């Protein structure tokens, strides 16, 4: 028997995101994250590089991408895949030369793409010249890092300053004989934290921003920002009840995260970027902030163009209902509206999390991709998600991620981020067309033979076909500038409505494992609904026109996008 679900008049959100004149380039961009080690190798060494990226810019333009963000490309011992930087103003030779970078900036701008770099202010590599000099107390570097003499027990033994734990597990303090002191590292042992109590560090890092801005970059994704500053009383953090002192979750982060000085630094960086604003140009700051909503919103207040919205990663999973997704969307929209902050953004994946398809399965992953593209503001796509790449199983021997390595052979599979970082699958040739070298820095997923961009370009029904087609809808005024309303129809169907003037787009997503019938008659003021796109299970609907909206059907775990023009 068919279940008829009538419109349950739960208007979850109305009319947020009014159309704004003078919208800036970044406010409605499709942003694409490139993980340089895995995007495209141009010289056959098995690792991606800048010339490889340049050779593939056409993939971005064909996919309606407006801007791309590069994970770190600076010199690095690669303990944390480039997030351990040994020189903030140079290019790692694995990725190429400064000339290659300049060529990439030019090619990107010629292709009307904005280019954004990763700015990693919290820490450097322990191989950075500053740390090497700090270790030897050479001025002015002595206090460039967070050093502490430790606590001296009555018997003379020196112990760690406090119970702070590193994000990657184990103590956040490491002893150095040379200096007879502990240094702080909120991430890997090889990533010492910079000391923002030191004005030289503050000014050096501003110069790092200026260096890249002078090269023409359009902005920065700011790494690990909540961890930037610490409370300098160095007190123990309260315990959470987790019995393992090596687990990051052992303590409550009241002294090592979200400190006021961190926000003050963001304000300072914004001033630096504003030195470069012209009437036609603006450079941007995007914050990587895994923190609570209040502290996330605070970045807007302190000058960030936007903090990433990780709600679709951290607040939902395979079992989430239509209402759960609706709640994530509304919570974000309401919060930015409350502080009058304007630009929303939607992140569904990145190099630190399991791949979208692996987390949710094909059908749900497709719905989430649709959400990120149809919702107001910035959509963020991690490379490979546009073709539905899946996590790759990596052996212990091949594991590179310090978070995996720290967890040991028994625990690495749960902790390692390597499975989501394997080479991009371009085609079905050697190493998936990523490299001419059959040996790549992380193994290529064996499914590349069938799961690759070239194959998906030939299939109407592929993940990439969905990505491309739905991305095109971002050009429509209703999606670009329209209002957003979300409706929950019954328990399982979520509808996103974007509207401007007489034009509307309806994205209907069925989270149930069975077909749902729904009534859009009170929502649609147009004479007809045209099906613009439908996911795999509903493909027969594509191109159809409906004039009666009272009993529309959407198959199990499918999504349908309708267009309507009112008279
Ligand atoms: C966040 C980055 O996304 C992650 O990959 C890295 O390990 C940490 N920050 C430390 O830089």
């Amino acid at each position: 028997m068919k279940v008829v679900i009538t419109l349950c008049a739960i208007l979850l959100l109305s009319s947020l995101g009014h159309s704004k004149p003078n919208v800036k380039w970044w406010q409605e961009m499709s942003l694409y994250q490139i993980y340089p080690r895995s995007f495209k190798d141009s010289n056959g060494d098995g690792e991606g590089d800048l010339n490889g990226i340049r050779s593939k810019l056409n993939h971005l333009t064909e996919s309606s991408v407006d801007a791309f963000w590069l994970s770190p490309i600076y010199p690095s011992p690669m303990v944390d895949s480039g997030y351990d930087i040994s020189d903030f103003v140079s290019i790692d030779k694995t990725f190429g030369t400064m000339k290659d970078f300049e060529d990439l900036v030019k090619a990107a701008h010629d292709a009307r793409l904005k280019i954004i770099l990763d700015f990693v202010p919290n820490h450097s590599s322990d191989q950075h010249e500053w740390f090497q000099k700090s270790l030897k107390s050479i001025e002015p570097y002595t206090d460039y890092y967070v050093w502490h003499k430790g606590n001296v027990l009555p018997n003379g033994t020196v112990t760690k300053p406090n119970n702070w734990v590193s994000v990657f597990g184990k103590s956040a303090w490491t002893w150095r004989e040379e200096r007879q002191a502990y240094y702080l590292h909120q991430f890997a042992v090889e990533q010492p934290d910079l000391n923002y109590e030191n004005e030289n560090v503050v000014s050096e890092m501003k110069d790092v921003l200026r260096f890249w801005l002078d090269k023409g970059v359009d902005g920065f994704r700011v790494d690990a920002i909540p961890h930037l500053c610490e409370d300098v009383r160095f007190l123990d953090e309260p315990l959470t009840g987790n019995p393992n002192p090596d687990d990051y979750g052992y303590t409550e982060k009241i002294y090592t995260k979200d400190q006021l000085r961190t926000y003050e630094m963001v304000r300072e960086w914004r001033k630096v970027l504003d030195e470069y604003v012209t009437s036609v140009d603006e450079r941007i700051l995007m914050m990587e902030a895994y923190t609570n909503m209040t502290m996330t919103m605070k970045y807007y207040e302190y000058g960030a163009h936007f903090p990433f919205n990780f709600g679709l990663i951290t607040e939902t999973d395979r079992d989430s209902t239509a209402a759960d997704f609706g709640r994530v969307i509304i919570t974000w929209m309401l919060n930015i509206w409350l502080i009058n902050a304007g630009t929303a953004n939607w992140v569904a994946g990145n190099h630190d999390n399991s791949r979208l398809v692996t987390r949710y399965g094909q059908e749900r992953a497709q719905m989430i991709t649709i959400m990120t593209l149809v919702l107001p503001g910035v959509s963020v796509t991690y490379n490979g998600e546009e073709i539905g790449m899946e996590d790759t199983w990596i052996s212990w021997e091949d594991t590179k991620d310090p978070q995996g390595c720290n967890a040991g052979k028994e625990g690495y599979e749960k902790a390692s981020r390597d499975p989501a970082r394997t080479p991009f699958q371009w085609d079905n040739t050697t190493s998936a067309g990523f490299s001419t070298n059959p040996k790549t820095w992380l193994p290529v997923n064996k499914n590349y033979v069938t799961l690759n961009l070239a194959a998906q370009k030939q299939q109407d029904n592929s993940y990439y076909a969905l990505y491309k087609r739905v991305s095109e809808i971002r050009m429509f005024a209703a999606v670009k500038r329209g209002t957003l309303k979300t409706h929950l129809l019954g328990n399982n169907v979520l509808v996103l409505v974007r509207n401007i003037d007489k034009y509307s787009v309806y994205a209907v997503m069925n989270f149930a494992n069975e077909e749902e019938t729904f009534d859009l008659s009170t929502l649609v003021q147009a004479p007809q609904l045209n099906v613009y796109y439908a996911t795999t299970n509903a493909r027969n609907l594509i191109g159809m026109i409906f004039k009666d909206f009272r009993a529309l059907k959407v198959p199990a775990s499918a999504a349908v996008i309708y267009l309507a023009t009112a008279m």
Side-chain angles (χ1 to χ4, degrees):
M1 199 184 96
K2 287 177 197 148
V3 186
V4 177
I5 296 179
T6 51
L7 172 67
C8 172
I10 305 176
L11 180 66
L12 293 172
L13 179 78
S14 64
S15 299
L16 296 185
H18 292 285
S19 63
K20 292 181 213 81
N22 303 324
V23 174
K24 315 254 176 45
W25 65 264
W26 52 272
Q27 291 186 299
E28 40 192 47
M29 65 179 164
S30 165
L31 173 67
Y32 186 83
Q33 179 191 354
I34 292 183
Y35 197 66
R37 289 188 100 176
S38 285
F39 196 60
K40 174 70 186 168
D41 172 18
S42 73
N43 62 1
D45 65 358
E47 291 215 27
D49 48 49
L50 297 174
N51 288 337
I53 294 170
R54 186 155 55 90
S55 73
K56 291 294 187 184
L57 290 182
N58 61 336
H59 170 55
L60 275 59
T61 47
E62 277 171 21
S63 308
S64 305
V65 164
D66 303 297
F68 62 96
W69 144 46
L70 297 178
S71 282
I73 49 172
Y74 320 107
S76 166
M78 295 288 164
V79 170
D80 187 19
S81 272
Y83 283 93
D84 48 320
I85 298 168
S86 52
D87 180 353
F88 288 107
V89 289
S90 218
I91 302 289
D92 192 285
K93 54 181 183 329
T94 317
F95 296 125
T97 62
M98 192 57 85
K99 166 85 171 55
D100 296 338
F101 178 73
E102 288 160 358
D103 290 347
L104 177 62
V105 173
K106 176 155 191 336
H109 288 162
D110 286 350
R112 301 175 75 85
L113 291 164
K114 301 284 186 183
I115 171 166
I116 295 174
L117 291 186
D118 219 309
F119 176 51
V120 186
N122 179 64
H123 44 265
S124 73
S125 158
D126 60 353
Q127 300 308 306
H128 195 295
E129 188 192 341
W130 298 345
F131 187 74
Q132 291 301 316
K133 291 190 166 157
S134 191
L135 205 49
K136 298 187 187 112
S137 299
I138 297 174
E139 290 302 345
Y141 303 102
T142 311
D143 293 327
Y144 264 41
Y145 295 84
V146 184
W147 291 100
H148 195 292
K149 296 232 162 286
N151 296 324
V152 186
L153 300 180
N155 67 3
T157 320
V158 181
T159 61
K160 290 179 176 134
N162 55 38
N163 67 354
W164 295 356
V165 190
S166 138
V167 176
F168 292 159
K170 308 206 174 126
S171 173
W173 296 100
T174 290
W175 175 260
R176 288 303 293 248
E177 280 299 314
E178 305 91 313
R179 175 91 188 225
Q180 289 292 297
Y182 288 95
Y183 69 90
L184 178 73
H185 50 89
Q186 291 225 45
F187 291 89
V189 175
E190 298 84 351
Q191 291 170 303
D193 269 46
L194 286 159
N195 177 15
Y196 282 85
E197 299 301 316
N198 181 320
E199 286 304 326
N200 285 336
V201 170
V202 173
S203 123
E204 295 257 26
M205 294 310 278
K206 286 186 192 169
D207 285 345
V208 170
L209 293 174
R210 289 191 187 99
F211 178 88
W212 295 108
L213 289 165
D214 288 338
K215 294 262 170 228
V217 306
D218 299 290
F220 301 92
R221 172 264 191 191
V222 183
D223 182 69
I225 187 65
H227 304 272
L228 191 77
C229 298
E230 296 77 30
D231 186 311
V232 292
R233 291 171 299 164
F234 299 107
L235 302 172
D236 271 351
E237 291 189 316
L239 303 183
T240 57
N242 175 331
N244 184 354
D246 285 346
D247 268 5
Y248 186 57
Y250 179 66
T251 55
E252 259 177 59
K253 311 300 167 198
I254 62 169
Y255 299 134
T256 53
K257 257 186 94 180
D258 304 329
Q259 304 293 300
L260 181 60
R261 180 136 180 95
T262 297
Y263 292 89
E264 289 168 356
M265 289 301 110
V266 173
R267 182 178 275 155
E268 295 288 302
W269 299 334
R270 173 61 187 259
K271 285 189 203 146
V272 173
L273 265 74
D274 285 349
E275 293 165 13
Y276 290 77
V277 173
T278 67
S279 56
V280 288
D281 191 15
E282 190 177 16
R283 320 284 178 100
I284 63 163
L285 282 175
M286 316 181 294
M287 300 292 136
E288 188 221 17
Y290 289 94
T291 185
N292 64 40
M293 191 56 88
T294 310
M295 300 317 279
T296 303
M297 290 296 127
K298 215 174 158 94
Y299 287 107
Y300 282 111
E301 202 187 309
Y302 278 78
H305 292 78
F306 56 88
F308 280 137
N309 168 11
F310 293 122
L312 291 172
I313 295 178
T314 56
E315 306 298 320
T316 60
D317 58 29
R318 267 174 191 266
D319 301 323
S320 298
T321 61
D324 295 331
F325 282 100
R327 200 173 309 114
V328 166
I329 293 167
I330 286 152
T331 306
W332 183 269
M333 294 305 289
L334 221 40
N335 274 283
I336 61 170
W337 179 71
L338 283 173
I339 59 164
N340 202 15
T343 302
N345 73 92
W346 310 94
V347 184
N350 57 36
H351 63 295
D352 292 329
N353 290 283
S354 191
R355 288 235 174 237
L356 189 55
V357 167
T358 306
R359 270 186 288 137
Y360 289 98
Q362 273 286 334
E363 291 159 336
R364 271 194 174 207
Q366 294 190 359
M367 289 194 235
I368 293 160
T369 297
I370 289 176
M371 283 184 216
T372 62
L373 294 171
V374 167
L375 283 165
V378 178
S379 71
V380 187
T381 306
Y382 173 47
N383 62 200
E385 305 282 53
E386 75 277 30
I387 57 168
M389 275 177 62
E390 294 166 12
D391 280 3
T392 306
W393 182 81
I394 310 280
S395 69
W396 168 243
E397 291 68 31
D398 280 339
T399 294
K400 303 277 189 304
D401 179 19
Q403 191 166 283
C405 297
N406 282 358
K409 194 168 179 177
E410 301 311 312
Y412 87 95
E413 283 184 74
K414 239 173 117 197
S416 176
R417 299 166 296 178
D418 288 337
R421 297 177 173 181
T422 58
F424 191 98
Q425 294 164 209
W426 294 102
D427 56 38
N428 65 359
T429 62
T430 305
S431 292
F434 160 71
S435 175
T436 50
N437 194 329
K439 176 115 184 85
T440 53
W441 80 281
L442 277 179
V444 171
N445 195 313
K446 291 197 174 59
N447 66 13
Y448 81 92
V449 181
T450 50
L451 199 171
N452 63 67
L453 178 68
Q456 292 198 6
K457 280 185 169 177
Q458 307 302 318
Q459 300 153 4
D460 292 346
N461 195 11
S462 65
Y463 211 108
Y464 184 65
L466 172 150
Y467 186 84
K468 194 164 175 341
R469 182 87 174 124
V470 183
S471 288
E472 282 159 10
I473 215 178
R474 295 176 66 78
M475 296 298 140
F476 295 21
V479 174
K480 237 177 172 3
R481 315 256 156 95
T483 56
L484 164 72
K485 287 182 182 168
T486 68
H487 299 264
L488 202 54
L489 307 186
N491 292 326
N492 301 319
V493 178
L494 178 65
V495 186
L496 305 178
V497 187
R498 304 296 315 278
N499 165 263
I500 194 163
D501 306 327
K502 55 186 185 169
Y503 306 105
S504 299
V505 172
Y506 299 82
V508 178
M509 286 157 288
N510 176 11
F511 288 85
N513 291 325
E514 57 192 31
E515 181 183 81
E516 293 278 5
T517 304
F518 58 97
D519 180 352
L520 280 188
S521 59
T522 57
L523 292 184
V524 180
Q525 260 85 53
Q528 63 182 49
L529 284 172
N530 293 41
V531 177
Y532 173 82
Y533 188 79
T535 56
T536 314
N537 304 351
R539 289 201 56 77
N540 61 321
L541 297 177
I542 293 182
M544 285 174 77
I545 295 174
F546 293 91
K547 299 198 173 192
D548 181 348
F549 318 133
R550 285 169 302 178
L552 297 165
K553 292 186 195 321
V554 60
S557 306
V560 184
I561 300 177
Y562 305 91
L563 304 182
T565 308
M567 297 296 275

